[in-house]
Amino acid sequence: MSLVSRRTAIVAAVLCLQIAMLTFGVTQTQSNELGRTYSFVYLGDIHFDRKSHHDLEWVRANKPNDIRQIEDYVRIAKQFTPRLLKRTQASIESGGDGIDMIIQSGDLTEGLCGSRALQETQFRDVRAFIRQYVPRTPFIAAKGNHDITGPGAREAFDSIMLPWLSDQLGKPIHSASFYFMKGPDLFVFFDAYHDHDLDWLDKTLRENRHRHAFVVMHPPAVPYNARSTWHLFWRERDRDARERFLNILGANHVVLLTGHLHKYCFLVRKTSMGSFVQLSMNSVISSPNVTVKDRREGLDDYGAALVDLEPKFDPGTAPQRRQILEDEKPYVTHFEFADFPGYALLHASDADINVNVYVGDSDKAWKSLSLSSVLGH
């Protein structure tokens, strides 16, 4: 082949590659990172708190039943949360897993402060607290209900946390619903408490071509324990929105990362458009000796009997909560549940998304999961 012919062939190959990249929505940066393997830490609820963050007169007048809860979270933030963050930093420093970021599912703070000024202080303090133990790794948090509970809390989140998230990602973040690309993978954070913009979610997942799609939000999409009315769009009036929401997740084979219920759960939920994974964690470590309780595994364990795990919780609504779980049961194709705090380490590659689950602040995995195998990919 002549030199001219070789050059013509090379040019044609490059043009074909560029056309393919445009057709499938792949940028040059993404093409350079296809096949990349990386890891990230996943944390559930944390509820960082200090007593000085609260107008206790406001709390006693408006949330009197939460005084004991606040006292407990103040103790936990002082005694045990540092151990969790130290473990996270130790994993990062070990370098073997190439941990690029930390993702947290919301309720980063306890909230209930009583004023916008105090809530802003709590947000500033939790930012400094994180950087004390994890000085450099990007830390990206979803919005939780506690983060925006109390007068001025939503405004405080927007004024303090959104600029911080912008700094973490190196791009402007104007809402608690945002997305970013991690190499070939798409991460979408969905605001479960304001807007519920399913058009935005659908468009974001469709128009940003990806290898894997992660969606992060605070409450689960699929109920999985006694508090089976604590998932997004659970009310009857939201039935159509929930159906659309689940189909969006299924069509994109999403890995949904959630918290809120302070339990571990790993399940697969089928929809008319496909299946998605839901992984839930809790990172409120309240004692030095953490044990695994109420372990359930297998489809026979999903259903109304989960209400019996918390017999004292709102007994008057137990029949409704049982029925919700039974109605959901035909769509759940994989189910694991346990009561313990801890964290997870996710490894993303072309072949799979592998998850190591850790109890408490242990450095030894309690369980390993293969997400692609349960999705049938």
Side-chain angles (χ1 to χ4, degrees), residues 241-263:
R242 182 167 193 268
E243 186 70 14
R244 184 186 179 201
F245 179 53
L246 296 175
N247 281 332
I248 290 170
L249 300 179
N252 293 278
H253 305 297
V254 156
V255 175
L256 178 65
L257 303 176
T258 79
H260 193 45
L261 300 184
H262 290 212
K263 301 291 187 288

Side-chain angles (χ1 to χ4, degrees), residues 27-193:
T27 67
Q28 183 66 53
T29 299
Q30 286 173 275
S31 73
N32 291 339
E33 297 201 25
L34 289 174
R36 184 180 177 218
T37 299
Y38 66 93
S39 304
F40 63 92
V41 174
Y42 181 56
L43 302 176
D45 298 35
I46 290 178
H47 291 264
F48 172 79
D49 204 5
R50 290 175 180 160
K51 191 173 181 179
S52 61
H53 293 157
H54 300 277
D55 177 347
L56 291 177
E57 289 186 8
W58 178 88
V59 177
R60 291 188 185 98
N62 295 276
K63 301 283 185 178
N65 295 331
D66 290 335
I67 292 289
R68 181 174 295 181
Q69 176 177 284
I70 288 170
E71 292 173 346
D72 204 29
Y73 284 132
V74 168
R75 176 185 63 84
I76 289 167
K78 183 177 181 179
Q79 295 181 8
F80 300 109
T81 308
R83 292 173 50 168
L84 174 65
L85 294 180
K86 287 177 181 178
R87 166 52 51 204
T88 300
Q89 181 62 18
S91 298
I92 293 168
E93 290 175 351
S94 68
D97 293 313
I99 298 172
D100 288 355
M101 60 185 173
I102 301 163
I103 288 179
Q104 195 269 334
S105 66
D107 280 3
L108 179 61
T109 63
E110 169 63 357
L112 301 169
C113 294
S115 72
R116 175 173 174 173
L118 286 171
Q119 185 65 62
E120 288 182 347
T121 297
Q122 188 173 71
F123 285 138
R124 290 190 186 96
D125 285 352
V126 76
R127 287 166 39 168
F129 180 77
I130 289 166
R131 286 298 168 236
Q132 179 181 352
Y133 298 101
V134 187
R136 287 175 296 279
T137 305
F139 190 107
I140 307 125
K143 178 194 283 185
N145 59 300
H146 274 263
D147 298 316
I148 53 166
T149 299
R154 180 179 176 183
E155 294 78 7
F157 185 94
D158 290 349
S159 65
I160 304 299
M161 294 304 292
L162 294 185
W164 192 60
L165 290 170
S166 299
D167 290 341
Q168 300 307 296
L169 293 172
K171 60 181 283 188
I173 301 298
H174 303 295
S175 162
S177 287
F178 60 91
Y179 73 93
F180 63 93
M181 298 299 302
K182 182 69 176 174
D185 298 339
L186 175 65
F187 286 79
V188 183
F189 282 62
F190 191 63
D191 186 346
Y193 300 101

